[in-house]
Amino acid sequence: MSHQSETLPKPHGQVGSQGLRNQSSHTQLMEVMLRLQQTMEDYITQRKTQHLQLDPGLGEQRHSQAASEQEATLIRLMCQVVNLFQPCPPLGSSGHVGGGQQAQSSRQPDQLGHHLSDLQATAVSYDLSNRGSDISALYHSSFQDYKTYKGDKYHEDKNPLGVINLAVSENKLCIDLMTERLSRSDMNCIEDALLQYADCRGHPFLREEVARFLTYYCKAPAQLDPENVVVLNGCCSVFLALAMVLCDAGEALLIPTPVYGGFAFTSHLYAKVELIYVHLDSEVTDANTRPFQLTVGKLEQTMLEARLKGKHVRGLLLINPQNPLGDVYPEEALKEYLEFAKRYNLHVIIDEIYMLSVFDESITFHSVLSMESLPDPQRIHVIWGTSKDFGISGFRFGALYTQNKEVAAAVSSFGYVHSISGIAQHKLCRLLQDREWIDKVYLPTNHSRLQAAHKYVTNNLKALKIPFLNRGSGLYIWINLKKYLDPCTFEQELLLHRRFLENKLLLARGKSYMCTEPGWFRLIFSDKPLCLKLAMHRFSQTLGEQKQDWTEKQLEDALREQTVCLLTGSSSQSHAQESLASASGP
């Protein structure tokens, strides 16, 4: 933890598990109500401006379509509000995304009839299945803010007052280098084979190059086998395929939190696999020498609790370097996690998508593929892609490496619907082949720019006296904004998140990463210098507003208390005066 110490105060207003569940329900309700309010405002605005169309016929048609969309959204949001007041949560009885076979919607047409009109109930019942309604609700709750950003995206020239996105993990620091490399003549190849259906596992030339690439950069003790490689359109596609072939619906995977929220979204979308969270906390103790430390003891405890609840745990999911914490697991720790998994016959899915984004030279990244011997090699499955390390998330490329031939074959079947275009596979192969450019041009420049951007942001955080995890890897910083929440709850975290968005800055809040402590945010620093400078200005400005409102509220409360004391002649008048002095400042 920086700025001065890794030691963190205990969360203000910390509550037990029941309190957390109640807090989660309240936060969900607040989120839905805020979206409902915004949608209603948009709907009213559209109706008011309908008569201003230049072409009445065309305008009426467009407004009718827009109104229908808004009405559908209003119905969906009202259903979500109704569901939040039902005894069973719509996304699984555990309260987490991915409730397996139990993840059935509590929505029933006859129940909704008490709250909605027959027309609304009919629209809800027949447009989407129960599963479709859950997926739709999950999509809108997950991407609402991102849609706001896309509709008002910052651009240095075209939209300088637009929303700056420091929530989505993308590396924009080396777009110039990547654009130049992808523009070279060797990238431009059109052959018959590239225009036709390919092997579901990916073209052999790309799988061979991926195997060579991972052998070299993961420092594997022996050449990796291309037959163990499967390529799909993104790492989340690889994960969902693994979840489908390793787990039946209703079975579970262990996953330490805070953690990348895309896994929760993906596991619910297709596989209906439950994620059982190994909750880590920020407090430093004798057992936890650093914040959010993952230990085998915590894995054992969560595994025991899961078994007592009758859960069938099939695997362990890890990210290294970790997202959002930035931790790079030491080799000895990795071995302990793998030994734990072997004791319980668990598969291990390990995502190493940030392996080349360790920019602190004092930190050594250890890939699972670098180990001389693995405790249970048939149950270890490695995911890697180019989205983060090379800043080309738009290419949609993810690779699986597994020694388990059955798993590789089963995952390959997903290439039927999740394959990559032949043209993109050719370009990726040429990129990965160019070891000299990667080693001498791209990686040194990328690491240098990541270091500079990280230093700029962390210096700003230190100036604001904001604690953060200083890890030297990834594209993000895990920051502690608890002191700006009063009280320290997820509701207040959501309100601060909204305040950032009102100031045209999109951040990712801790609840999105299943963090149990309100007040944590993930901030992306891998953006261009000018954009980053403006973003940090908006960041500081937002926190200034938050602090000012907090101070004014304290002052109002103190004045109110003093007034009551004066009117009642209470002996606590001196206390009220002290409160007033404290709120007024020195």
Side-chain angles (χ1 to χ4, degrees), residues 436-449:
E436 182 177 3
W437 178 80
I438 293 173
D439 287 342
K440 294 183 178 179
V441 178
Y442 180 78
L443 286 181
T445 306
N446 186 44
H447 289 169
S448 175
R449 293 179 182 179

Side-chain angles (χ1 to χ4, degrees), residues 302-315:
T302 306
M303 186 69 181
L304 176 61
E305 292 171 354
R307 286 187 161 187
L308 290 174
K309 294 176 182 177
K311 304 291 186 181
H312 187 191
V313 180
R314 291 280 293 163

Side-chain angles (χ1 to χ4, degrees), residues 405-423:
K405 302 295 184 183
E406 286 187 78
V407 171
V411 170
S412 296
S413 65
F414 285 81
Y416 187 78
V417 289
H418 290 284
S419 61
I420 315 167
S421 76
I423 301 297

Side-chain angles (χ1 to χ4, degrees), residues 341-342 345-349 376-381 402 404:
K342 183 181 180 181
N345 296 317
L346 301 180
H347 289 270
V348 178
I349 301 172
D376 194 358
Q378 289 294 306
R379 286 193 173 96
I380 295 173
H381 319 290
T402 177
N404 190 313

Side-chain angles (χ1 to χ4, degrees), residues 213-242:
F213 183 92
L214 294 178
T215 299
Y216 178 76
Y217 286 104
C218 294
K219 298 180 172 58
Q223 177 65 44
L224 300 179
D225 186 355
E227 292 302 308
N228 296 339
V229 175
V230 181
V231 298
L232 298 177
N233 61 341
C235 289
C236 273
S237 294
V238 176
F239 166 71
L240 73 84
L242 281 171

